Amino acid sequence: MGELEDAVMTRVWKWNRPVTVREVLEDLQQERSIAYTTVMTVLDNLHQKGWVRREEEGRAYRYEAVSTRAAYAAALMNDAWAQSDNPAAALVAFFGMMSDEQRRALRDAIRIVQGPETGGAEDEKPQSGNRSGNTRNPESDGENAQSDGNPGSAPERAGR
């Protein structure tokens, strides 16, 4: 996902409502010179990738984000990691770039994914059918991502 796609998605999240190509264009033009057709193509690409949904309104479309900024960031990180020929080395390099605050957030995220600790010796044994010992419910992950409290959450988007 490129820089322009990121910039367009930021605008879609910013309004937290369905937006037109024209609205995104006018906002982007405050920072750079860009053509209407370029923004239209980027939004169409994002629609084809499943990042935005669109509804026809007259002769135009209104676009709306399908997921949170956190889910989008996670997909970007996953794509980058998947392209590495040495995923372990890529992770070590990535973790080495992190600030102390980011490392704390990473530790918190690992605790959430792993689930609550019981404090017993059984913690080291994988649970049946799940080698990682992960007890979370994958079907609830989408709901959890919606209330992630990150800087891209609804209150901040609405305030921009």
Side-chain angles (χ1 to χ4, degrees):
M1 293 180 218
E3 178 186 338
L4 188 52
E5 285 182 336
D6 292 339
V8 169
M9 282 303 300
T10 297
R11 271 54 182 201
V12 173
W13 283 309
K14 177 176 139 177
W15 283 296
N16 197 26
R17 62 169 172 78
V19 297
T20 64
V21 171
R22 176 83 45 210
E23 289 173 312
V24 174
L25 172 71
E26 289 172 0
D27 196 30
L28 284 169
Q29 284 180 332
Q30 293 176 18
E31 297 174 7
R32 64 176 99 183
S33 177
I34 190 165
Y36 180 93
T37 54
T38 302
V39 176
M40 184 174 64
T41 299
V42 170
L43 280 164
D44 185 59
N45 290 342
L46 289 167
H47 175 256
Q48 289 178 22
K49 291 178 180 182
W51 287 107
V52 296
R53 66 178 143 253
R54 67 184 180 194
E55 288 190 30
E56 203 166 348
E57 185 178 284
R59 294 175 46 200
Y61 287 110
R62 284 200 171 267
Y63 294 86
E64 181 176 24
V66 170
S67 66
T68 64
R69 182 185 301 260
Y72 182 74
L76 291 174
M77 289 186 283
N78 190 54
D79 287 348
W81 189 45
Q83 292 176 22
S84 173
D85 60 346
N86 187 341
L91 285 174
V92 169
F94 179 63
F95 297 155
M97 294 177 196
M98 292 179 155
S99 68
D100 289 340
E101 182 180 340
Q102 289 170 322
R103 285 191 195 100
R104 282 191 295 277
L106 175 63
R107 284 191 289 273
D108 290 345
I110 289 170
R111 278 194 292 276
I112 290 168
V113 169
Q114 289 178 337
E117 295 182 24
T118 59
E122 301 87 45
D123 285 351
E124 296 178 15
K125 296 179 186 173
Q127 296 178 359
S128 65
N130 189 339
R131 295 182 340 163
S132 70
N134 182 344
T135 59
R136 66 190 170 96
N137 179 358
E139 293 183 18
S140 69
D141 286 349
E143 292 174 17
N144 292 341
Q146 296 298 320
S147 60
D148 56 35
N150 73 4
S153 63
E156 182 176 330
R157 286 193 309 259
R160 287 187 194 166

